[in-house]
Amino acid sequence: VLVSGPVALAAPSGAELVPVVTSEEMFAALTARIADCDVFVMCAAVCDYKPVATASQKLPKQRARFALELEPTRDLLASLTSQPHECFVVGFAAETHSLTTNARRKLLEKKCDLLVANDVSRADLGMDSEENELVIFSPNDEAETLTRGKKTELARALVKKILHAREKCLTKKT
């Protein structure tokens, strides 16, 4: 199941696509499905802030300065993991500085089984590149780096790491 906001990419073959527009629609869709998950991967975040007020029509241009008041959006991952669930949770963190410190904090705060972080401050990796580098954090293990490579190759390696970590977690529970 893929819960996704509006994007220019097609859903993967065989995936059930649940289209959403707002962060609250996404939260509702995820809440309705998390109980049925074996592995829950939250690989992208909605925006961190939203307008306090919206207009039903275009605002006229003003000569004076214009201020837009924003408020934080709900942290979807933290909200979902604060509820009882049985699935293995993988979160992602796009960081511009203090990657290790921020990722370890998010791993604990958001109650993830794994947290995958990447440095988005670099122009040659990440968002606008076909390549990336990932660092995988788990609660009791050292961080593991998936060195620079094509995103498709990293995705395959990451799925293997997630499945291995989940199996390890299940083995500890029995």
Side-chain angles (χ1 to χ4, degrees):
V1 177
L2 173 63
V3 178
S4 176
V7 295
L9 302 171
S13 175
E16 174 194 341
L17 176 63
V18 180
V20 297
V21 175
T22 68
S23 62
E24 288 306 312
E25 288 175 359
M26 183 170 281
F27 180 70
L30 296 172
T31 299
R33 288 163 178 81
I34 194 167
D36 296 327
C37 291
D38 293 319
V39 178
F40 177 80
V41 179
M42 191 75 164
C43 61
V46 296
C47 58
D48 292 328
Y49 296 93
K50 64 182 178 181
V52 170
T54 59
S56 61
Q57 58 193 26
K58 181 185 176 296
L59 298 174
K61 185 175 182 177
Q62 300 174 11
R63 298 251 181 239
R65 282 189 167 189
F66 177 79
L68 181 63
E69 188 177 1
L70 302 174
E71 63 184 352
T73 55
R74 178 196 307 257
D75 184 321
L76 298 179
L77 181 56
S79 295
L80 290 162
T81 58
S82 67
Q83 303 170 17
H85 65 279
E86 296 295 322
C87 58
F88 187 86
V89 176
V90 181
F92 276 68
E95 300 295 340
T96 58
H97 63 284
S98 305
L99 184 137
T100 298
T101 302
N102 291 335
R104 288 202 185 281
R105 177 184 50 77
K106 288 177 181 181
L107 173 76
L108 299 174
E109 286 177 0
K110 297 174 191 259
K111 301 175 185 164
C112 295
D113 296 296
L114 290 179
L115 190 115
V116 182
N118 64 313
D119 182 350
V120 295
S121 68
R122 294 178 52 182
D124 64 329
L125 285 178
M127 302 294 188
D128 292 324
S129 171
E130 290 298 315
E131 294 187 332
N132 207 350
E133 182 174 284
L134 305 174
V135 185
I136 305 168
F137 296 86
S138 60
N140 300 318
D141 296 327
E142 292 295 316
E144 182 177 356
T145 300
L146 294 181
T147 57
R148 183 183 185 134
K150 291 185 181 276
K151 288 180 179 178
T152 53
E153 294 167 2
L154 289 174
R156 287 184 186 97
L158 182 57
V159 167
K160 289 177 185 176
K161 299 283 183 190
I162 291 169
L163 294 176
H164 177 74
R166 180 178 177 265
E167 186 63 35
K168 192 173 163 183
C169 183
L170 291 173
T171 303
K172 285 181 183 178
K173 289 181 179 179
T174 57

